[in-house]
Amino acid sequence: MRICFVTGGSLGEFKGEREADIVMFPFQALGEVSYERELKGETSLFEDVAILSKTGQNVAVCGCYTNARGMKRKSVVVAERGRILGVADMVNRIDGSEFRSGAGVKLFDTRAGKLGIVVAEDLYFPHVLETLSVCGADVALAVFEELNEGLELTLMRAGAFFYGIPVCMCAYGYAQVADPMGRLCFSSPKSPCSFELIREQEFHVVETRRKGFCIKRKTEY
């Protein structure tokens, strides 16, 4: 699985990448998207993402700020080979931020694999990566704004180790990848830059003891 990270510039400035299975963009690439204007045909930003994925015959994952009649959200639009698969919204709102929370965590089944989407500060909440792992994600794709002095690197390495899936982050000015062993296996400020991710499916049986969870058997009638 070859992933291309475009950490700078707008969507229109990117010339395309046919050798990549996945192309990732942070939030500044698309900017704000008004659902109302998109539906009226006044803008075609989502269509641009779809066209880009069709041109490269791959999956395009692009951050944006969606606006639904004044309700703003941090979102990620996913398109594959010319078709919009859906939009994932950030599900956790911190301290009354101007960006509202979305409806749920999203997982997209594509030819490149099952792609779990982590939107911006959702990386700060471990249950998001845990949910994606339990639901069978092959990789978690985290789209971020600007990195915060190594905090996000620590969290993505920990999450990759705890939940057994690689985490690939595309942020403004930087890209990085953590493998299921918790190691940083790729990082670069270059735009665009690419990384060949090896898909691994390794499972282990983990047993724990705890109190409670006593299920009484029904007596025979």
Side-chain angles (χ1 to χ4, degrees):
M1 182 192 298
R2 186 175 180 83
I3 304 176
C4 175
F5 302 93
V6 186
T7 61
S10 66
L11 189 74
E13 295 172 346
F14 182 61
K15 302 304 180 182
E17 175 60 75
R18 285 188 172 273
E19 295 183 0
D21 300 301
I22 301 169
V23 182
M24 290 183 67
F25 299 84
F27 289 90
Q28 91 285 347
L30 207 59
E32 182 169 308
V33 179
S34 167
Y35 282 121
E36 185 175 5
R37 296 186 66 192
E38 286 282 298
L39 291 172
K40 288 181 178 179
E42 297 175 0
T43 61
S44 57
L45 297 174
F46 282 175
E47 183 182 355
D48 292 342
V49 179
I51 291 173
L52 180 69
S53 70
K54 184 176 182 180
T55 301
Q57 286 296 290
N58 50 27
V59 179
V61 178
C62 187
C64 59
Y65 303 100
T66 53
N67 188 334
R69 292 185 176 274
M71 296 184 65
K72 295 183 179 181
R73 293 183 174 89
K74 292 183 182 180
S75 308
V76 173
V77 57
V78 180
E80 181 180 25
R81 301 191 177 195
R83 183 169 64 95
I84 297 292
L85 300 184
V87 178
D89 298 322
M90 186 173 70
V91 297
N92 296 284
R93 186 186 187 193
I94 302 174
D95 292 337
S97 164
E98 65 170 312
F99 296 102
R100 308 296 291 270
S101 58
V105 179
K106 295 290 182 68
L107 179 69
F108 296 97
D109 196 353
T110 71
R111 295 189 182 186
K114 292 183 178 180
L115 311 180
I117 305 299
V118 182
V119 185
E121 286 84 5
D122 276 349
L123 183 68
Y124 299 159
F125 298 85
H127 63 268
V128 174
L129 279 175
E130 182 181 17
T131 300
L132 293 174
S133 177
V134 169
C135 292
D138 294 311
V139 59
L141 303 179
V143 178
F144 213 81
E145 292 169 300
E146 292 190 63
L147 302 184
N148 183 18
E149 297 181 352
L151 173 62
E152 289 77 23
L153 172 59
T154 301
L155 292 173
M156 64 183 286
R157 289 179 63 185
F161 176 76
F162 287 151
Y163 306 116
I165 56 174
V167 180
C168 302
M169 176 178 287
C170 185
Y172 177 70
Y174 208 74
Q176 53 194 13
V177 178
D179 68 14
M181 296 296 292
R183 298 171 300 200
L184 179 66
C185 53
F186 175 79
S187 63
S188 176
K190 184 180 178 182
S191 180
C193 56
S194 298
F195 177 72
E196 191 73 37
L197 180 68
I198 299 175
R199 292 173 57 181
E200 299 178 2
Q201 295 288 342
E202 186 173 349
F203 295 87
H204 298 272
V205 177
V206 179
E207 297 181 4
T208 59
R209 294 179 62 189
R210 61 176 297 175
K211 294 181 179 180
F213 284 87
C214 297
I215 301 176
K216 295 182 179 180
R217 297 180 179 177
K218 293 183 179 180
T219 56
E220 295 182 1
Y221 294 100

